[in-house]
């Protein structure tokens, strides 16, 4: 895959008209292949499993898309969903990022109007692969703006198969990120394009693309903070130009107006701190623009006078504005930041104050190995990419570096944001690889030319010199590349830009010719270098394919495990949801931990109490409290919410680690955060959550323990939990307020029904009975085995 | 001894059963097939007046010995009887498939029971009573003794024949006509848990009563004393099954029903004790001839419309109505009351309104949906002493405004409209001037 990129770059170097045309065709063809690669590498999940929607959030998106395709966009906009968050309900139309749904809905509508009868589900499954092809094309465009076609193709190839992105965009992973990454890269491309051309047309497109991003994902705040940062950087480094103004000012105004149109963002676009950076930089940019304008009008002496005047007045105004802002911001409890953003700035914030954010596994900071898993060799290529971005530093390449640095920070805070880092890593690695190939192939070409010309070779080159040589030649090659480009498409560029380009192009070649001769690597070193790079690329490809096939393709609703006696398929989730949809009333309410809310509404079509859209902490805490309370209290809580069935996920029999017992600490923490009578230490033995013989009585009596381990001892006679790796603490007990109605084949999902209230109230005649009510532990101790 | 009678009797039961099932199906809340279990067939004649009053009201009584080996309450999953009269206090074990659990299941399936015990009450009877929330005195020899409020008899006895007049204040249970004469009672006392809201004391002992063995000297303070002793209690289960527990079987006997009574210390002598009226009225209540409510035709709609919508919007005005009828023993009569309330409920009641009635059974009201969206319920929780509980709930979602249902042009926003239009105009002029004024 590495060759086409370098060959096109070489073709570009050639300069001939025919070769240019050939290069263009080759480039287009390569891009097509990259798109096919990006699409097809994500189909492992369909081939290995089946064409299903994966995981949790995609089920919600799928349900919304179904609603959209059935009822149309206005109904979707006004959709009040009474089947989730019972009894509060959820205004879906106003709380959902509609970009993904509208995209897939449009796609489905288009296909159907072309008489291609695909189901909504199929379209949803394949939306992510299609958009990853788009994303790799966008990467090509973005990198091309910074470093030319070769780097663009290289970066696109790398992005097409970067594992980090694959993990979020395999077929079936129908989530916001699938389209948002494309929107992110494309917005950046349009920004850089505007920056390079100064065209208002691209600026407008940029705002539209930003709008699409806002529609798609909450990660749009990354854009609206990164671009102002870059603008500020340009201003500080004295790179202010009218192109910068055109690239930024329309984006802020149009972008903010458009963002406010998205119901879920609304007034947040002007009210929350996430957006303030852009406004601040907007003001600064205008001040700077004014200063430059006045500087052009006045003589230097007058300018100095005016400067002091303006600065003193400006400072005063600035202070006033800042003071007002601070006062406004400080008056809100979270200082105007949303919890998720705060946890980005202060990584310890969530674990301290918002357990509900900390409880999500993808909000945890990543471990080191996950970098090698997710971006693999790119981690080593990035530094080289940064170096080549600095040679020379243009507006575009400085943007790349800034993008990488910020994304690297954010990825270190939240493992989910590794996804934002991936494109930056790909772009910089693409640049690095392309530059390296550039240097190496050109030196081979020179050597070959020398060989054929039989001229005296510049044999003085040593390996010690090679590094400086490569950097210099990178420099020259880059410029050459640029000037080439300006010649081929001169019409699109406004005059100012072209002038600048020409200046650069003309200033360098003076020493260029001389250096070119000097800075050539020896034949063997170049060949070796190319070989090594290809091997490196090979490793990367192998790793990516492995990651796509093995690591990231599991749909997580169907699990498989390989053992000595063959492949085991665990389809318990769908079994349980099918049971619910066939055996319960349409209006019955099912309570479970929020992880399974989306799946229950989408697959079982039953009303749930809480779901993965964790908008109401109190409601989730109520369910957490019920799960961590004794049976009777839990029954009362659930009954007050009209719950009929309780669903728990239990992995102890087959060793499925992400079950409710392992999530239990979050139920206790979130529940205890709102209802202080739930105290975490009551559940801990020596600081650990244990369910074995050393577990605390509170733990052994809580609903979650009982529902998970009810009748568990019947399976093997000992009650050995294969996830925790020990025997459970309390093996024989009866349920008083719940009855088991369904347990799936591998016991992974267990469904219980709330018993109705007792028809009669018993008298106190029997002393034994009243004893069992007050403390069930004693009763269980006396009555060792009720099953015999 | 009862063997030769079994077959025809069974046939009779079946025939009667079918007939009465049809009869009961005519809209009454309960059927009219009663199983009477006695431990001695003599009870049939000694209590004939009570049985006669039941039969006169249309009940079909099936008399069986409690230890009859062919005893069964249901066949092929269907109950053979609609009610049970358990006049077998001393039976240690039922015959056939009947046992304590079967009786309790019979009640939990929504059937009624009259249970009478006396000083010979067996553990079985005590167990059934306890499951219904009635605790008989645990001392098997104990009887209720009252040295002040006893009924005067010819021989100076041990004051175990009690003239009870502490009756529950409820027209529903005891009928509209006041029971003037005291009720004579001889038997064992029981207590009920005051926190148990399902059990009511119908006939309580006087404050001077206590429960002890009348034949021995009182060694220790009696465990049950004063008005904590209940002589006759009723229980209405959550599924509206009704159970009457009496500590005295004699209460229902012809002798007590017919004879006169004179309460000690009172000059009044009644020609007839209050027993007949008491047992007739309470048995009417137990077998759902009185105090049974039904609610039908729960309707709600927007004001000015008639169709029931699937969803309301916040701040809609709506009307709610429900029809409530009471069974009078022969027909459903409109229920009249001014205390039926409806809640518009989502985790807590947002609206609580008293329904007004048109005296023809229709209760209705109208109110405004609160400014809160969510899944609400129309809830009617009507629990009144003696009446069957009405618990209606109907789920209805309330949605927020649609995006195009908000007010369009707000007066207070006119300055903002003016500002934006003037800015647009100014910008246009500015562009024009800037572009063409050279």
């Amino acid at each position: 895959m590495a060759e086409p990129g370098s060959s096109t770059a070489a073709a570009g170097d050639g300069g001939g008209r025919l070769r240019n045309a050939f290069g263009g065709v080759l480039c287009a063809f390569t891009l097509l292949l990259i798109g096919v690669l990006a699409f097809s590498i994500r189909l492992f999940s369909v081939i290995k499993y089946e064409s299903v929607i994966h995981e949790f959030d995609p089920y919600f998106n799928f349900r919304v898309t179904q609603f959209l395709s059935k009822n149309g966009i206005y109904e979707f906009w006004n959709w009040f969903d009474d089947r989730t968050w019972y009894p509060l309900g959820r205004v879906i139309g106003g709380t959902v990022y509609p970009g993904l749904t509208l995209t897939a809905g449009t796609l489905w509508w288009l296909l159907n109007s072309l008489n291609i009868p695909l189901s909504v589900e199929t379209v949803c499954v394949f939306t992510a692969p299609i958009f990853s092809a788009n994303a790799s094309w966008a990467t090509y465009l973005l990198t091309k703006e910074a470093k030319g076609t070769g780097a663009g193709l290289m970066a696109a190839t790398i992005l097409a198969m970067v594992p980090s992105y694959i993990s979020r965009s395999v077929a079936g992973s129908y989530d916001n990120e699938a389209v948002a990454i494309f929107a992110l890269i494309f917005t950046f491309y349009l920004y850089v394009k505007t920056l390079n051309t100064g065209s208002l047309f691209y600026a407008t497109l940029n705002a539209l693309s930003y709008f699409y991003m806002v529609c798609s994902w909450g990660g749009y705040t990354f854009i609206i903070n990164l671009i102002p940062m870059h603008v500020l950087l340009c201003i500080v480094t004295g790179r202010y130009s009218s192109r910068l103004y055109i690239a930024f000012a329309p984006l802020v105004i149009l972008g903010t107006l458009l963002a406010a149109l998205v119901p879920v963002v609304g007034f947040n676009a002007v009210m929350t701190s996430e957006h303030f950076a852009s406004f601040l930089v907007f003001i600064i940019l205008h001040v700077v623009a004014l200063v430059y304008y006045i500087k052009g009008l006045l003589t230097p002496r007058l300018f100095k006078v005016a400067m002091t005047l303006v600065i003193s007045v400006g400072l005063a105004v600035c202070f006033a504005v800042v003071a007002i802002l601070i006062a406004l911001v400080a008056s809100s409890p979270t200082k105007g930041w949303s919890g998720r953003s705060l946890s980005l700035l202060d990584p310890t914030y969530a674990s301290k104050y918002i357990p509900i954010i900390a409880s999500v596994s993808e909000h945890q900071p990543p471990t080191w190995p996950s970098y090698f898993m997710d971006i693999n060799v790119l981690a080593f290529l990035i530094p080289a990419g940064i170096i080549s971005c600095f040679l020379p530093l243009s507006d575009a390449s400085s943007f790349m570096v800034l993008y990488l640095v910020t994304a690297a920070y954010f990825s270190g805070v939240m493992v989910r944001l590794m996804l934002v880092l991936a494109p930056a890593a790909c772009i910089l690695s693409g640049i690095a690889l392309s530059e390296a190939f550039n240097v190496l192939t050109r030196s081979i070409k020179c050597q070959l030319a020398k060989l054929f010309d039989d001229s005296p070779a510049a044999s003085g080159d040593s390996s010690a010199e090679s590094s400086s040589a490569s950097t210099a030649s990178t420099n020259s090659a880059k410029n050459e590349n640029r000037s080439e480009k300006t010649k081929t498409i001169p019409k699109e560029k406004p005059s100012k830009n072209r002038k600048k380009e020409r200046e650069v192009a003309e200033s360098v070649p003076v020493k260029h010719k001389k250096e070119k001769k000097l800075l050539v690597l020896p034949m063997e070193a170049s060949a070796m270098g190319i070989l090594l790079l290809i091997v490196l690329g090979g490793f990367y490809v192998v790793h990516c394919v492995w990651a796509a096939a093995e690591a990231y393709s599991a749909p997580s609703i169907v699990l498989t495990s390989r053992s000595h006696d063959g492949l085991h398929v665990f389809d318990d989730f769908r079994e349980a949801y099918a049971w619910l949809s066939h055996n319960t009333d349409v209006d019955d309410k099912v309570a479970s931990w929020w992880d399974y809310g989306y799946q229950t509404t989408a697959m079982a079509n039953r009303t749930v109490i809480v779901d993965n859209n964790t908008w109401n902490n109190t409601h989730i805490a109520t369910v957490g409290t019920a799960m961590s309370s004794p049976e009777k209290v839990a029954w009362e809580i659930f009954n007050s919410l009209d719950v009929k069935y309780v669903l728990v996920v239990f992995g102890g029999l087959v060793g499925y680690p992400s079950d409710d017992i392992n999530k239990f600490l979050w139920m206790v923490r979130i529940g205890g955060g709102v209802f202080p009578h739930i105290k975490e230490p009551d559940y801990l033995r020596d600081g650990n959550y244990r369910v074995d013989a050393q577990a605390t009585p509170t733990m052994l009596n809580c609903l979650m323990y009982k529902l998970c381990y009810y009748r568990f001892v019947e399976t093997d006679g000992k009650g050995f939990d294969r996830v925790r790796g020990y025997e459970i603490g309390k093996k024989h007990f009866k349920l008083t307020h719940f009855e088991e109605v369904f347990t799936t084949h591998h016991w992974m999902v267990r469904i219980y029904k709330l018993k109705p209230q007792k028809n009669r109230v018993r008298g106190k005649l029997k002393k034994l009975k009243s004893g069992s009510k007050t403390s069930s532990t004693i009763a269980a101790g006396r009555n060792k085995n009720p099953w015999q | 001894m009862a063997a030769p009678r079994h077959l025809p009797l069974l046939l009779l039961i079946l025939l009667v059963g079918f007939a009465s099932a049809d009869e009961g199906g005519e809209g009454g809340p309960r059927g009219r097939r009663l199983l009477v279990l006695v431990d001695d067939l003599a009870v049939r004649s000694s209590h004939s007046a009570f049985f006669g009053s039941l039969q006169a009201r249309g009940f079909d009584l099936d008399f069986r010995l409690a230890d009859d080996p062919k005893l069964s309450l249901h066949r092929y999953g269907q109950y053979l009887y609609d009610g049970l009269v358990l006049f077998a206090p001393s039976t240690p074990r039922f015959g056939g498939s009947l046992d304590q659990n079967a009786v309790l299941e019979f009640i939990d399936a929504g059937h009624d029971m009259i249970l009478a015990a006396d000083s010979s009450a067996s553990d079985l009877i005590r167990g059934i009573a306890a499951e219904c929330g009635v605790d008989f005195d645990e001392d098997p020899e104990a009887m209720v003794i009252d040295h002040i409020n006893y009924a005067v008899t010819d021989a100076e006895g041990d004051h175990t024949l009690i003239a009870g007049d502490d009756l529950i204040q409820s027209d529903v249970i005891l009928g509209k006509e006041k029971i003037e004469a005291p009720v004579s009672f001889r038997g064992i006392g029981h207590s009920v848990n005051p926190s148990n809201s399902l059990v009511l004391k119908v006939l309580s002992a006087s404050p001077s009563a206590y429960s002890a063995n009348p034949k021995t000297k009182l060694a220790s303070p009696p465990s049950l004393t004063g008005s904590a002793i209940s002589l006759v209690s009723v229980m209405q289960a959550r599924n509206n099954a009704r159970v009457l527990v009496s500590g005295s079987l004699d209460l229902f006997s012809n002798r007590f029903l017919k004879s006169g009574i004179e309460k000690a210390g009172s000059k009044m002598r009644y020609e007839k004790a209050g027993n007949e009226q008491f047992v007739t009225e309470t048995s009417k209540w137990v077998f759902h001839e009185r105090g049974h409510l039904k609610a039908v035709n729960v309707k709600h709609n927007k004001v000015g419309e008639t169709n029931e919508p699937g969803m309301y919007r916040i701040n809609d005005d709506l009307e709610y109505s429900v029809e409530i009828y009471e069974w009078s023993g022969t027909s459903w009569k409109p229920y009249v009351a001014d205390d039926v309330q409806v809640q518009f409920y989502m985790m807590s009641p947002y609206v609580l309104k008293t329904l007004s009635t048109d005296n023809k059974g229709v209760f209705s009201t109208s109110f405004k949906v609160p400014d809160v969206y969510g899944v609400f319920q129309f809830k009617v929780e009507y629990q009144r002493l003696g009446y069957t509980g009405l618990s209606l709930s109907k789920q209805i979602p309330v949605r927020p405004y649609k995006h195009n249902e908000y007010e369009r042009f707000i007066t207070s926003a006119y300055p903002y409209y003016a500002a934006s239009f003037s800015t647009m105009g100014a910008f246009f002029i500015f562009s024009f001037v800037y572009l063409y004024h050279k």
Side-chain angles (χ1 to χ4, degrees), chain B residues 354-376:
Chain B
T354 306
L355 295 167
S356 54
T357 175
D358 63 351
N359 293 335
K360 286 173 190 150
V362 182
F363 290 76
S364 62
T365 188
S366 66
F367 56 88
K368 193 188 241 335
V369 175
D371 196 1
V372 179
Y373 59 79
V375 183
F376 281 81

Side-chain angles (χ1 to χ4, degrees), chain A residues 121 342 504 623 644 716 733 762:
Chain A
E121 190 181 7
L342 264 182
V504 177
V623 174
K644 273 270 183 65
D716 59 353
F733 54 87
R762 194 189 282 130

Side-chain angles (χ1 to χ4, degrees), chain A residues 10-335:
Chain A
D13 264 15
R17 223 184 138 74
L18 187 72
R19 289 183 70 184
N20 234 342
F22 177 68
V25 170
L26 196 62
C27 175
F29 187 63
T30 315
L31 279 176
L32 189 71
L33 284 182
I34 289 171
V36 171
L37 168 74
F39 183 81
S40 50
I41 200 172
R42 287 167 168 80
L43 300 186
F44 276 109
S45 60
V46 174
I47 292 159
K48 288 184 68 180
Y49 297 89
E50 56 188 296
S51 173
V52 282
I53 308 279
H54 290 193
E55 300 209 319
F56 306 106
D57 289 21
Y59 268 97
F60 170 74
N61 296 327
F62 170 52
R63 182 163 162 258
V64 174
T65 316
Q66 270 183 321
F67 185 90
L68 171 71
S69 60
K70 202 183 288 171
N71 298 300
I73 186 161
Y74 283 107
E75 284 300 307
F76 165 58
W77 189 357
N78 294 321
W79 187 15
F80 172 69
D81 187 5
D82 57 347
R83 300 190 74 77
T84 58
W85 291 95
Y86 182 86
L88 306 169
R90 178 183 169 195
V91 185
I92 299 259
T95 57
V96 80
Y97 285 101
L100 174 77
T101 321
L102 291 178
T103 308
T106 314
L107 220 61
W108 176 82
W109 176 80
L110 245 161
L111 287 169
N112 269 269
S113 53
L114 293 174
N115 290 325
I116 304 172
L118 286 179
S119 70
V120 178
E121 190 181 7
T122 317
V123 174
C124 292
V125 166
F126 291 103
T127 300
I130 290 169
F131 268 81
S132 43
N134 290 350
S136 48
W137 292 330
T139 311
Y140 163 75
L141 292 172
L142 174 58
T143 322
K144 198 179 109 188
E145 280 306 307
K147 285 284 176 184
T149 315
L153 286 171
M154 209 59 228
T157 318
I158 293 171
L159 184 105
M161 51 187 177
V162 65
S164 168
Y165 187 26
I166 286 180
S167 73
R168 289 319 189 101
S169 64
V170 292
S173 176
Y174 177 57
D175 209 347
N176 288 337
E177 288 93 330
V179 298
I181 291 301
F182 159 70
L184 181 84
I185 301 172
F186 198 65
T187 310
F188 285 154
Y189 158 66
L190 285 169
Y191 169 70
V192 173
K193 183 83 183 171
T194 322
L195 203 54
N196 279 345
T197 58
S199 145
L200 207 51
F201 171 70
Y202 283 112
T204 317
L205 282 189
N206 189 18
L208 288 176
S209 166
Y210 172 69
F211 174 58
Y212 183 64
M213 177 70 189
V214 177
C215 282
S216 306
W217 196 31
Y220 75 92
T221 46
F222 182 62
I223 296 182
I224 205 61
N225 283 300
L226 180 62
I227 290 180
M229 269 167 83
H230 182 245
V231 171
L232 204 61
L233 183 80
C234 287
I235 291 172
V236 169
T237 52
R239 289 172 155 272
Y240 170 80
S241 65
S242 57
R243 288 174 291 115
L244 187 70
Y245 184 87
I246 289 171
F248 185 65
L251 175 69
V252 173
I253 300 299
L254 281 178
T256 306
L257 279 177
L258 288 170
L261 291 181
V262 181
V264 64
V265 178
F267 279 107
N268 285 349
V270 285
M271 306 244 311
T272 57
S273 301
E274 282 95 338
H275 305 82
F276 285 169
S278 62
F279 301 138
L280 199 66
V281 172
F282 185 71
I283 295 168
I284 294 172
L285 187 70
H286 277 89
V287 172
V288 171
L290 191 71
V291 169
Y292 272 85
Y293 178 69
I294 292 170
K295 202 175 176 181
L297 282 183
L298 301 177
T299 59
R301 205 162 56 82
L302 261 176
F303 176 70
K304 231 170 217 174
V305 176
M307 190 76 162
T308 46
L309 234 163
V310 166
I311 283 184
S312 49
V313 173
L315 273 182
V317 171
C318 257
F319 274 123
V321 169
V322 167
I324 290 169
L325 268 184
I326 288 176
L328 272 179
V329 162
S331 65
S332 87
T334 57
K335 309 276 176 278

Side-chain angles (χ1 to χ4, degrees), chain A residues 74-75 77-78 80-83 86-91 587 589 607 615 619 640-642 757-767 769, chain B residues 100 104 107-108 126-127 130-133 135-136 138 191 196 198 235 237-239 311 346-347 373-375 377 395 397-400 402-403:
Chain A
Y74 283 107
E75 284 300 307
W77 189 357
N78 294 321
F80 172 69
D81 187 5
D82 57 347
R83 300 190 74 77
Y86 182 86
L88 306 169
R90 178 183 169 195
V91 185
D587 275 335
K589 283 86 192 168
T607 308
W615 66 276
H619 221 49
S640 73
L641 291 170
D642 298 329
Q757 214 176 358
K758 280 228 171 67
N759 191 33
R760 294 164 282 109
V761 177
R762 194 189 282 130
K764 59 174 187 241
L765 186 74
K766 283 170 189 156
K767 292 266 153 45
K769 292 258 165 63
Chain B
Q100 179 176 332
L104 295 171
I107 294 166
D108 289 344
R126 287 167 184 270
E131 286 290 336
C132 296
D135 299 308
F136 281 116
E138 280 167 46
S191 64
N196 184 348
L198 303 177
M235 189 271 290
R238 292 207 166 88
N239 65 351
M311 191 181 258
M346 180 178 79
M347 294 206 278
Y373 59 79
V375 183
Q377 284 171 323
Q395 181 176 317
V398 173
R399 64 167 172 82
K402 286 185 178 172
H403 71 276

Side-chain angles (χ1 to χ4, degrees), chain A residues 4 84 141 204 259 282 319 376 442 488 552 609 645 744:
Chain A
T84 58
L141 292 172
T204 317
F282 185 71
F319 274 123
N376 200 246
R442 207 189 34 251
T488 49
Y552 290 137
I609 305 300
Y645 296 92
T744 55

